[in-house]
Amino acid sequence: MSLALVQSRALLGLRAPPVTVEVHLANGLPSFTLVGLAEVEVKEARERVRSALQNAGLEFPHNKRITVNLAPADLPKDSGRFDLPIALGILAASGQIDGARLAGWEFAGELSLSGELRAVRGALATSLALHTAETKGEAAGVRLVLPPGSAEEAALVPGSAVWRARHLLDVVRAFLPTPLDDELPADAGWQRMAHQAPQAHAHYADLADVKGQAAARRALEIAAAGGHSLLLMGPPGSGKSMLAQRFAGILPGMTVEEALESAAVASLAGRFAIERWAERPTSSPHHTASAVALVGGGSPPRPGEISLAHHGVLFLDELPEFPRAALEALREPLETGHITIARAAQRAEFPARFQLIAAMNPCPCGFLGSAQRACRCSPDQVARYQARLSGPLLDRIDLHVDVPALPATDLLGAPPGEASAAVRKRVVRARERALARQGCANQALQGQKIDTQIALDAAAAQFLQTAAARLGWSARATHRALKVARTIADLAGAQSTQIAHVAEAMQYRRALRGH
């Protein structure tokens, strides 16, 4: 009898908990049993591993009773990432490689039937979780072996120790009882990946394409400077989608930490692309998206659109057309910046600090208040349409702004609007003022920080109290108006929040007619 242990990691949100692959060979009726709460794709590793070992010229112990345990047993495992550690465990247990030399290494990779290694999703999330564990002292000196494509992702994490292997034989040669590392040619499939921070080449549509719409452009600038959410309402063709699609281009550049977190979530979903490194994502789900597609879920839990928009923009066009359950699921992540997917068997948490940009028509036909076309909707139809958005959800959207349709003469004769680069400079200066003062964007202010950091003038405070009482605002709506006013003051370079800043912020807190 022989036993071998190989280390790997599962994917459960961004935590990537460690998994020990235990392989036991014993005499008895030949069999290959895999246990440890494995999903179907993990159980199919038996056939992939068997074929890969044989086609690579290695010995598969046909006459042994093989038991593979993925510990801990109560942690769900999915995907083909355990193919490589299972194959190495069998080779170590049968004495074909030195099992003692596997200590201090972690492996992940899917095997083809010929022994080639295929990329797996979540490589960057795995490397980031390993780096976090080392920082906390929970792991030390662990080296990670990954297939091509995955290794390049994982090496983006600073301080990571990542090796790339193209074929199962490349890994085997590195862990033979007599090391062959020094004899490997320079172009061998076994190679350590050097950390190289990629250059950010973010490409965004330019706000100069939008002509007119001064009020909407101003609202976009305020939202970008303070991290606020925004609702655009206007008739079809007024430019709501154009404005929203150019919003990411006026946001401040991503820090390395933000880029890593955003890329890690994309890696979990299998959507990571190195050419979009440090580019703020804009997620635009269709209005038929379910609540699970929007906030995440499934078994095992996968990130939804709000997590894929982490440190970026979530654009919801035709907002009232989304299912009510999907919209109501946004209420918690809009406040907390994360989403917790709780299931009977497991619990996963995903980051979801996004900026919501929503767009909607004012009525079912879309032309309520339009100067070009008459609205055909009755007051009851307008009320029912706008009532699809609940009061608590609207309460969490900081800025509401009308986007009127422009006459053709204004569009054709107007010069290009102000470019994104010029707007971004003002946004960056305002955001820097907020970070220097309180360490976060104004939208993230909570509790006592609202009172201490807003710096509200006495006259402005009295003005806001009177207005909030007359308009029937909730405490949340009042606090959000305060945060918007502080952002307006930051854009103006003011040290305190004055009546003019509060008055401008108040015009973005109007209620829809259906509420």
Side-chain angles (χ1 to χ4, degrees):
M1 295 187 297
S2 55
L3 179 68
L5 305 179
V6 183
Q7 296 297 320
S8 186
R9 286 185 179 261
L11 288 179
L12 190 60
L14 292 181
R15 292 195 294 114
V19 171
T20 302
V21 179
E22 303 173 331
V23 179
H24 180 235
L25 301 184
N27 295 324
L29 291 175
S31 64
F32 192 162
T33 306
L34 199 155
V35 297
L37 204 58
E39 298 289 340
V40 173
E41 59 265 37
V42 181
K43 293 181 178 179
E44 291 173 346
R46 294 175 296 188
E47 305 308 321
R48 291 193 296 268
V49 168
R50 187 195 313 268
S51 297
L53 290 177
Q54 292 175 340
N55 291 325
L58 300 168
E59 180 184 349
F60 183 83
H62 293 281
N63 59 344
K64 296 290 185 179
R65 182 181 180 87
I66 306 171
T67 304
V68 177
N69 178 41
L70 307 178
D74 60 346
L75 183 70
K77 293 94 178 174
D78 70 321
S79 81
R81 61 188 302 106
F82 297 103
D83 289 6
L84 178 58
I86 290 172
L88 293 177
I90 293 174
L91 293 173
S94 59
Q96 299 178 66
I97 62 174
D98 187 356
R101 298 189 61 218
L102 297 175
W105 293 82
E106 290 190 2
F107 304 86
E110 180 181 331
L111 284 171
S112 70
L113 298 185
S114 64
E116 295 283 342
L117 288 174
R118 291 175 174 160
V120 293
R121 65 179 181 86
L124 182 53
T126 302
S127 181
L128 189 59
L130 184 57
H131 177 68
T132 302
E134 290 181 345
T135 303
K136 294 180 179 179
E138 300 172 0
V142 177
R143 293 157 290 182
L144 192 60
V145 178
L146 292 168
S150 298
E152 288 79 1
E153 276 187 39
L156 293 173
V157 179
S160 58
V162 180
W163 270 256
R164 180 180 63 193
R166 299 184 180 278
H167 196 278
L168 175 61
L169 289 178
D170 297 325
V171 186
V172 170
R173 292 176 64 188
F175 292 97
L176 290 172
T178 303
L180 295 179
D181 298 75
D182 296 336
E183 302 176 17
L184 291 177
D187 60 346
W190 177 260
Q191 180 184 358
R192 176 164 186 175
M193 303 300 299
H195 168 68
Q196 292 182 351
Q199 296 294 322
H201 297 290
H203 299 285
Y204 306 103
D206 201 318
L207 200 57
D209 298 335
V210 180
K211 297 181 178 181
Q213 303 296 3
R217 292 172 65 100
R218 171 65 173 172
L220 237 64
E221 184 175 338
I222 295 171
H228 304 290
S229 50
L230 172 64
L231 173 62
L232 303 169
M233 188 170 70
S238 59
K240 303 185 296 294
S241 297
M242 281 189 70
L243 287 162
Q245 290 162 0
R246 284 151 179 78
F247 180 70
I250 65 173
L251 292 174
M254 298 182 83
T255 64
V256 175
E257 292 76 14
E258 289 176 340
L260 281 172
E261 289 180 9
S262 177
V265 177
S267 176
L268 275 178
R271 299 189 189 180
F272 175 76
I274 190 66
E275 58 270 17
R276 292 199 296 270
W277 171 258
E279 181 177 312
R280 290 194 182 273
T282 297
S283 185
S284 306
H286 193 260
H287 63 259
T288 56
S290 65
V292 171
L294 201 59
V295 302
S299 181
R302 298 285 185 90
E305 295 292 335
I306 63 172
S307 296
L308 293 171
H310 184 52
H311 292 311
V313 182
L314 177 68
F315 175 43
L316 301 183
D317 202 3
E318 307 294 344
L319 186 66
E321 304 296 339
F322 279 81
R324 183 67 175 258
L327 292 180
E328 295 306 305
L330 294 176
R331 286 159 55 175
E332 180 186 353
L334 276 172
E335 292 282 338
T336 63
H338 66 269
I339 181 71
T340 301
I341 309 296
R343 298 292 182 264
Q346 58 188 305
R347 180 187 179 97
E349 184 174 300
F350 299 102
R353 192 160 296 283
F354 59 91
Q355 283 194 243
L356 174 64
I357 306 295
M360 63 175 288
N361 297 326
C363 64
C365 78
F367 296 101
L368 179 66
S370 173
Q372 277 77 34
R373 293 180 59 177
C375 175
R376 305 189 306 269
C377 305
S378 68
D380 285 344
Q381 288 176 315
V382 174
R384 284 196 301 270
Y385 180 77
Q386 294 189 1
R388 295 179 186 178
L389 306 178
S390 69
L393 176 63
L394 288 173
D395 225 18
R396 288 167 167 82
I397 300 179
D398 298 338
L399 301 108
H400 307 162
V401 63
D402 283 319
V403 185
L406 297 179
T409 54
D410 292 351
L411 284 175
L412 297 177
E418 189 178 19
S420 295
V423 179
R424 189 189 308 114
K425 289 180 180 179
R426 297 196 296 269
V427 167
V428 169
R429 285 197 297 268
R431 184 72 69 93
E432 288 174 347
R433 292 187 186 103
L435 293 176
R437 181 178 62 247
Q438 64 217 14
C440 63
N442 291 321
Q443 188 276 334
L445 288 173
Q446 298 291 338
Q448 293 183 353
K449 281 190 173 183
I450 296 177
D451 299 325
T452 59
Q453 302 297 339
I454 295 297
L456 191 63
D457 285 353
Q462 183 61 44
F463 177 67
L464 180 62
Q465 288 174 5
T466 303
R470 290 183 178 180
L471 296 172
W473 282 356
S474 66
R476 178 187 291 113
T478 305
H479 281 160
R480 287 184 177 268
L482 272 175
K483 297 175 187 179
V484 172
R486 179 66 259 185
T487 299
I488 296 171
D490 286 336
L491 283 168
Q495 296 298 319
S496 61
T497 305
Q498 303 163 10
I499 288 183
H501 307 140
V502 173
E504 184 178 357
M506 286 177 57
Q507 71 177 337
Y508 300 119
R509 292 299 310 177
R510 65 173 182 78
L512 300 182
R513 297 186 185 184
H515 289 270

